[in-house]
Amino acid sequence: MSTLLERSFKTLEQLAAHPEGMTVSAIAATLDMPLSATHRLLAELCRCGYVRQVREQGEYVLTIKLVSLGLSFLSASGVVDVAQPLIDSLAEECGELVRLAVVDGDDLTFVAKAQGARRGLRYDPDMGLSVPLSCSAAGHAWLSTMSDEEALRLVAQQGFGQPKDYGPNAPTTVKALLAYIQRARKRGFSMISEVFSPSMTAMAAPVLAPSGAIGVVTIAGPLVRLTEARMEELSEALLATADEIRAASGGSAMFKKRA
């Protein structure tokens, strides 16, 4: 990594993925940085309040400062105020996990969620991370709003997900991925089964503005409950929610800018 800024962000990303903390040697080895340079970088991040050391010569962990910045940004953007009541309503209707992802340049990131499952298995993966485009319902829904060439460019930039890291049906070739994208384009929403995760299914619809997709709404749950037939039943409600978020997007500075 060529710059101090890049090293700093990569360090923060590593610590975000390891809430239990990481030693300076583990961070240095993971990011292929000299031990001395890693120690100086961590000391500077501690001074700025983004990182703290759990104990002397122990693990480093993120502080809440970075989380607070993200939450403050989302609050000021108005995204949650606009979308939360709508995804709450959809979650209540479908009884599964509903999430909203926002398009940010070449990335898609989940920013809001509502859990509709009140008992039994509750599916709730990580929030706030970039969506894997090749092996997620949200990714397929977003990719379906653009040309195949543009979709493949974004996937090539991010890389294909592998079945060992996701579900057994995760597409690993251009042909397999395009089949998912084309089906989503034809239906107006995507559907996947054991693609993102084993024994889990999901569906997603893009939030469309005149300039293109500004977000994606997803429903996800266990395969035993959220079957293909059940997803077909929920498609009208999912599409209606995506359209309602589009109609309300003028109330969000973030959405307004992207629209």
Side-chain angles (χ1 to χ4, degrees):
M1 289 177 283
S2 58
T3 68
L4 177 61
L5 184 62
E6 184 180 2
R7 287 181 172 185
S8 299
F9 283 129
K10 290 295 185 182
T11 300
L12 292 173
E13 289 170 1
Q14 278 298 311
L15 292 175
H18 295 84
E20 73 283 1
M22 295 180 72
T23 63
V24 62
S25 58
I27 296 171
T30 302
L31 299 180
D32 193 25
M33 297 194 306
L35 192 62
S36 58
T38 306
H39 189 272
R40 289 195 299 272
L41 177 59
L42 287 166
E44 190 66 11
L45 289 172
C46 286
R47 185 187 69 79
C48 293
Y50 291 99
V51 172
R52 65 182 175 86
Q53 197 171 16
V54 178
R55 59 183 184 280
E56 191 175 350
Q57 297 182 342
E59 294 84 2
Y60 289 85
V61 298
L62 285 183
T63 66
I64 300 299
K65 185 174 183 179
L66 197 61
V67 177
S68 179
L69 282 175
L71 291 175
S72 295
F73 171 71
L74 285 178
S75 176
S77 74
V79 168
V80 176
D81 292 338
V82 165
Q84 196 65 54
L86 298 172
I87 64 173
D88 284 346
S89 177
L90 180 59
E92 183 70 25
E93 179 176 350
C94 71
E96 302 293 353
L97 176 69
V98 175
R99 294 187 292 174
L100 172 68
V102 170
V103 174
D104 188 19
D106 287 348
D107 290 317
L108 192 61
T109 303
F110 285 117
V111 298
K113 67 178 179 180
Q115 179 58 262
R118 296 290 177 258
R119 55 189 175 81
L121 181 61
R122 298 176 66 180
Y123 181 53
D124 198 352
D126 292 336
M127 291 287 291
L129 301 178
S130 292
V131 175
L133 301 180
S134 70
C135 51
S136 67
H140 294 175
W142 183 35
L143 296 175
S144 73
T145 66
M146 56 189 80
S147 68
D148 288 348
E149 292 74 19
E150 178 65 8
L152 293 176
R153 182 190 72 80
L154 293 181
V155 172
Q157 188 172 285
Q158 189 184 75
F160 276 90
Q162 298 300 313
K164 65 182 179 63
D165 300 316
Y166 294 97
N169 296 328
T172 58
T173 65
V174 167
K175 182 179 180 180
L177 175 61
L178 285 177
Y180 278 105
I181 293 173
Q182 288 160 6
R183 285 194 293 268
R185 192 178 288 139
K186 184 176 181 179
R187 283 190 301 253
F189 63 94
S190 65
M191 290 199 310
I192 60 172
S193 178
E194 297 193 292
V195 169
F196 183 77
S197 183
S199 303
M200 306 306 294
T201 59
M203 61 191 301
V207 178
L208 295 172
S211 62
I214 56 176
V216 176
V217 183
T218 72
I219 299 174
L223 176 58
V224 67
R225 258 193 339 245
L226 193 60
T227 61
E228 183 174 343
R230 177 61 175 153
M231 286 192 282
E232 291 284 2
E233 291 174 1
L234 291 170
S235 62
E236 187 175 335
L238 174 68
L239 291 167
T241 299
D243 192 54
E244 287 170 348
I245 292 175
R246 176 204 57 76
S249 62
S252 162
M254 179 188 288
F255 275 144
K256 191 183 296 182
K257 195 170 185 179
R258 285 156 176 74

